[in-house]
Amino acid sequence: MIFTNWARNQSATPAEVRTPASVGDVVRAVRDAAAGGRRVRMVGTGHSFTGVALTDGVMLRPDALTGIRSYDGDRVTVMAGTPLRVLNELLHERGAALANMGDITEQTVAGAIQTGTHGTGRDSGGLADQVAELELVLADGTVATANPGDELFDAARVGLGALGVLTAVTFRVEPAFLLHQRRRRMTLSEILGSLDDLTSANEHLDFFWLPHTDACLVKTNNRHPGPPRPPGAFKHWLDNVFLENTVFGAACATGARLPGLIPRINAVSAAALGDSEAVDTSYKVFTARRDVRFLEMEYAVPREHLGQAIRETRDLVERMDWKITFPVEVRVTPPSDAWLSTAYGRHSAYVACHVYRGTPNPAYFEGVEEIMVRLGGRPHWGKLHTRDASYLRQAYPRFGDFVALRDRLDPGRLFSNPYLDTVLG
């Protein structure tokens, strides 16, 4: 069997594939791998652009390790292989919700938190910051439970699968709530002049800049008492399926064949941006459909450097005359205390650059990465980058503590792979 990720830029041929249906099955797989001298990794749904989940040893598929194990009103324990979209629906049935989440819901809960998946929030952080407890199988085959106050808890929440195989995650949840979403067009110049006001005035801010234009689509989400005013079925289909996927996909394909048209295509897209608003269930507002395949690099920079990061990225694209179809996305989060969270210890802003899968542009990513690194950036663990342990050791205050804990828990590197060899040393 060959495993290939969603973006089709990473693949591996494991020696063996197992589909565990219980914690006991995972324990047996880990012990068998150790006895056979093979490495072992649990993969998710392949939504990482890096090789973080790959293995040539025993690959565990989490398809049967799903569902809610327990729920008590403000906490839910969910099996590690449960897709986020399924978790959202199960919580909604119980009148509950996560406080914040990213815009993609195809990932498993374990894969999402292990790579530091985040949304955008003034006060609420990424998925790892909503974790209340972790259950994982260690390299010696024992089952460990990590709680706040344990070093394993702060290390393993964004653990890259390097400390053990996650089997269950307990999240803090809250009563289901509504979000008022506003979508409006602003110029990049306007945004750069009002970043502090935008981030402080809104619970959730997300904006997209269209290269080769001065146009941005700004999305703000704030809690609302109701009543709900969801978009109509046609409006939802028009915006989220037809325009953002079907039409955008056709534009990307056209740009791939005729790159010289991309600035004009982006200008047409910018002219089509319009204002809209709706009040709907939180997870329906947070999340989006993404059918057009792309490659992505994302860096977290200190919040105070966001303006400089965006200006330099814009100037670089113009100076190099690259033809970029995909918008540059910007989000913000508060500080995190998970050791390898990209937001560890600081208010952070995320700059995400994408390219159409059919037209990779390594020079674009390399140029933007140089800017982000110079500003103290930390790369998203599941998105393309070229940083190694020597850089990351300087970027993360608790990096040495993480590696030391890994040395104690997995001295034989049962859970390692080439990606971890690069980023952890």
Side-chain angles (χ1 to χ4, degrees), residues 65-85:
L65 206 63
T66 61
I68 286 180
R69 190 158 76 182
S70 66
Y71 171 74
D72 67 3
D74 60 359
R75 288 190 178 197
V76 60
T77 299
V78 60
M79 302 306 291
T82 308
L84 288 169
R85 58 179 170 75

Side-chain angles (χ1 to χ4, degrees), residues 237 240-251 291-292:
W237 173 84
N240 296 280
V241 179
F242 186 67
L243 294 178
E244 292 189 4
N245 288 283
T246 306
V247 172
F248 182 63
D291 293 339
V292 181

Side-chain angles (χ1 to χ4, degrees), residues 94-105:
R94 292 162 173 79
L98 294 169
N100 193 6
M101 60 187 313
D103 60 359
I104 304 296
T105 60

Side-chain angles (χ1 to χ4, degrees), residues 98 185 262 265 328:
L98 294 169
R185 175 179 172 168
I262 289 176
I265 291 171
V328 173

